[in-house]
mmCIF file of all heavy atoms in Angstrom:
data_model
loop_
_atom_site.group_PDB
_atom_site.id
_atom_site.type_symbol
_atom_site.label_atom_id
_atom_site.label_comp_id
_atom_site.label_asym_id
_atom_site.label_seq_id
_atom_site.Cartn_x
_atom_site.Cartn_y
_atom_site.Cartn_z
ATOM 1 N N ILE A 466 -3.532 -1.315 0.661
ATOM 2 C CA ILE A 466 -4.868 -1.603 1.185
ATOM 3 C C ILE A 466 -5.685 -0.319 1.305
ATOM 4 O O ILE A 466 -6.882 -0.296 1.002
ATOM 5 C CB ILE A 466 -4.769 -2.332 2.538
ATOM 6 C CG1 ILE A 466 -4.293 -3.772 2.332
ATOM 7 C CG2 ILE A 466 -6.129 -2.333 3.251
ATOM 8 C CD1 ILE A 466 -4.063 -4.541 3.612
ATOM 9 N N SER A 467 -5.047 0.774 1.730
ATOM 10 C CA SER A 467 -5.777 2.037 1.875
ATOM 11 C C SER A 467 -6.337 2.503 0.532
ATOM 12 O O SER A 467 -7.475 2.983 0.459
ATOM 13 C CB SER A 467 -4.878 3.111 2.491
ATOM 14 O OG SER A 467 -3.902 3.566 1.572
ATOM 15 N N TRP A 468 -5.561 2.363 -0.532
ATOM 16 C CA TRP A 468 -6.038 2.777 -1.856
ATOM 17 C C TRP A 468 -7.103 1.825 -2.394
ATOM 18 O O TRP A 468 -8.050 2.241 -3.067
ATOM 19 C CB TRP A 468 -4.869 2.896 -2.828
ATOM 20 C CG TRP A 468 -4.140 4.192 -2.664
ATOM 21 C CD1 TRP A 468 -3.040 4.433 -1.894
ATOM 22 C CD2 TRP A 468 -4.505 5.457 -3.237
ATOM 23 N NE1 TRP A 468 -2.674 5.756 -1.958
ATOM 24 C CE2 TRP A 468 -3.550 6.409 -2.787
ATOM 25 C CE3 TRP A 468 -5.513 5.865 -4.091
ATOM 26 C CZ2 TRP A 468 -3.606 7.749 -3.164
ATOM 27 C CZ3 TRP A 468 -5.564 7.200 -4.466
ATOM 28 C CH2 TRP A 468 -4.621 8.127 -4.013
ATOM 29 N N ALA A 469 -6.958 0.538 -2.093
ATOM 30 C CA ALA A 469 -7.983 -0.423 -2.504
ATOM 31 C C ALA A 469 -9.308 -0.116 -1.810
ATOM 32 O O ALA A 469 -10.386 -0.175 -2.428
ATOM 33 C CB ALA A 469 -7.526 -1.851 -2.194
ATOM 34 N N LEU A 470 -9.247 0.238 -0.526
ATOM 35 C CA LEU A 470 -10.464 0.598 0.214
ATOM 36 C C LEU A 470 -11.078 1.881 -0.334
ATOM 37 O O LEU A 470 -12.304 2.010 -0.410
ATOM 38 C CB LEU A 470 -10.149 0.754 1.696
ATOM 39 C CG LEU A 470 -9.821 -0.531 2.460
ATOM 40 C CD1 LEU A 470 -9.435 -0.215 3.900
ATOM 41 C CD2 LEU A 470 -10.996 -1.498 2.430
ATOM 42 N N TYR A 471 -10.226 2.821 -0.714
ATOM 43 C CA TYR A 471 -10.753 4.061 -1.307
ATOM 44 C C TYR A 471 -11.508 3.753 -2.594
ATOM 45 O O TYR A 471 -12.630 4.254 -2.801
ATOM 46 C CB TYR A 471 -9.607 5.031 -1.590
ATOM 47 C CG TYR A 471 -10.019 6.174 -2.488
ATOM 48 C CD1 TYR A 471 -10.979 7.098 -2.077
ATOM 49 C CD2 TYR A 471 -9.475 6.321 -3.761
ATOM 50 C CE1 TYR A 471 -11.377 8.142 -2.900
ATOM 51 C CE2 TYR A 471 -9.866 7.354 -4.595
ATOM 52 C CZ TYR A 471 -10.821 8.259 -4.164
ATOM 53 O OH TYR A 471 -11.219 9.277 -4.984
ATOM 54 N N LEU A 472 -10.935 2.916 -3.449
ATOM 55 C CA LEU A 472 -11.605 2.571 -4.705
ATOM 56 C C LEU A 472 -12.892 1.786 -4.450
ATOM 57 O O LEU A 472 -13.889 1.965 -5.165
ATOM 58 C CB LEU A 472 -10.658 1.777 -5.603
ATOM 59 C CG LEU A 472 -9.500 2.585 -6.204
ATOM 60 C CD1 LEU A 472 -8.508 1.662 -6.895
ATOM 61 C CD2 LEU A 472 -10.024 3.630 -7.184
ATOM 62 N N LEU A 473 -12.893 0.941 -3.425
ATOM 63 C CA LEU A 473 -14.123 0.235 -3.064
ATOM 64 C C LEU A 473 -15.205 1.205 -2.612
ATOM 65 O O LEU A 473 -16.384 1.040 -2.944
ATOM 66 C CB LEU A 473 -13.842 -0.783 -1.950
ATOM 67 C CG LEU A 473 -13.252 -2.139 -2.349
ATOM 68 C CD1 LEU A 473 -13.011 -2.988 -1.111
ATOM 69 C CD2 LEU A 473 -14.178 -2.888 -3.316
ATOM 70 N N SER A 474 -14.794 2.228 -1.878
ATOM 71 C CA SER A 474 -15.773 3.226 -1.431
ATOM 72 C C SER A 474 -16.325 4.023 -2.606
ATOM 73 O O SER A 474 -17.508 4.369 -2.636
ATOM 74 C CB SER A 474 -15.139 4.172 -0.403
ATOM 75 O OG SER A 474 -14.205 5.045 -0.999
ATOM 76 N N VAL A 475 -15.478 4.297 -3.591
ATOM 77 C CA VAL A 475 -15.943 4.980 -4.802
ATOM 78 C C VAL A 475 -16.965 4.108 -5.523
ATOM 79 O O VAL A 475 -18.017 4.579 -5.967
ATOM 80 C CB VAL A 475 -14.763 5.307 -5.736
ATOM 81 C CG1 VAL A 475 -15.263 5.826 -7.087
ATOM 82 C CG2 VAL A 475 -13.843 6.341 -5.094
ATOM 83 N N ALA A 476 -16.650 2.812 -5.630
ATOM 84 C CA ALA A 476 -17.570 1.877 -6.295
ATOM 85 C C ALA A 476 -18.895 1.786 -5.540
ATOM 86 O O ALA A 476 -19.965 1.687 -6.151
ATOM 87 C CB ALA A 476 -16.923 0.497 -6.392
ATOM 88 N N TYR A 477 -18.828 1.819 -4.222
ATOM 89 C CA TYR A 477 -20.028 1.657 -3.401
ATOM 90 C C TYR A 477 -20.974 2.844 -3.534
ATOM 91 O O TYR A 477 -22.194 2.683 -3.612
ATOM 92 C CB TYR A 477 -19.626 1.467 -1.939
ATOM 93 C CG TYR A 477 -20.775 1.083 -1.038
ATOM 94 C CD1 TYR A 477 -21.142 -0.248 -0.895
ATOM 95 C CD2 TYR A 477 -21.486 2.050 -0.332
ATOM 96 C CE1 TYR A 477 -22.199 -0.609 -0.070
ATOM 97 C CE2 TYR A 477 -22.543 1.704 0.487
ATOM 98 C CZ TYR A 477 -22.896 0.369 0.616
ATOM 99 O OH TYR A 477 -23.948 0.019 1.423
ATOM 100 N N TYR A 478 -20.407 4.055 -3.568
ATOM 101 C CA TYR A 478 -21.241 5.257 -3.552
ATOM 102 C C TYR A 478 -21.558 5.813 -4.941
ATOM 103 O O TYR A 478 -22.447 6.653 -5.070
ATOM 104 C CB TYR A 478 -20.563 6.354 -2.729
ATOM 105 C CG TYR A 478 -20.621 6.114 -1.241
ATOM 106 C CD1 TYR A 478 -19.466 5.847 -0.513
ATOM 107 C CD2 TYR A 478 -21.834 6.147 -0.560
ATOM 108 C CE1 TYR A 478 -19.521 5.627 0.853
ATOM 109 C CE2 TYR A 478 -21.897 5.921 0.807
ATOM 110 C CZ TYR A 478 -20.733 5.662 1.511
ATOM 111 O OH TYR A 478 -20.792 5.436 2.863
ATOM 112 N N SER A 479 -20.838 5.368 -5.946
ATOM 113 C CA SER A 479 -21.049 5.945 -7.273
ATOM 114 C C SER A 479 -22.417 5.578 -7.837
ATOM 115 O O SER A 479 -22.864 4.430 -7.734
ATOM 116 C CB SER A 479 -19.954 5.467 -8.235
ATOM 117 O OG SER A 479 -20.172 5.982 -9.523
ATOM 118 N N ARG A 480 -23.086 6.545 -8.451
ATOM 119 C CA ARG A 480 -24.388 6.300 -9.069
ATOM 120 C C ARG A 480 -24.255 5.890 -10.534
ATOM 121 O O ARG A 480 -25.235 5.468 -11.149
ATOM 122 C CB ARG A 480 -25.251 7.560 -8.960
ATOM 123 C CG ARG A 480 -25.603 7.926 -7.514
ATOM 124 C CD ARG A 480 -26.475 9.160 -7.453
ATOM 125 N NE ARG A 480 -26.825 9.500 -6.074
ATOM 126 C CZ ARG A 480 -27.582 10.528 -5.743
ATOM 127 N NH1 ARG A 480 -28.060 11.340 -6.685
ATOM 128 N NH2 ARG A 480 -27.855 10.775 -4.467
#
Side-chain angles (χ1 to χ4, degrees):
I466 288 176
S467 73
W468 279 94
L470 290 176
Y471 166 64
L472 289 171
L473 278 178
S474 71
V475 171
Y477 189 86
Y478 286 113
S479 178
R480 295 181 179 180

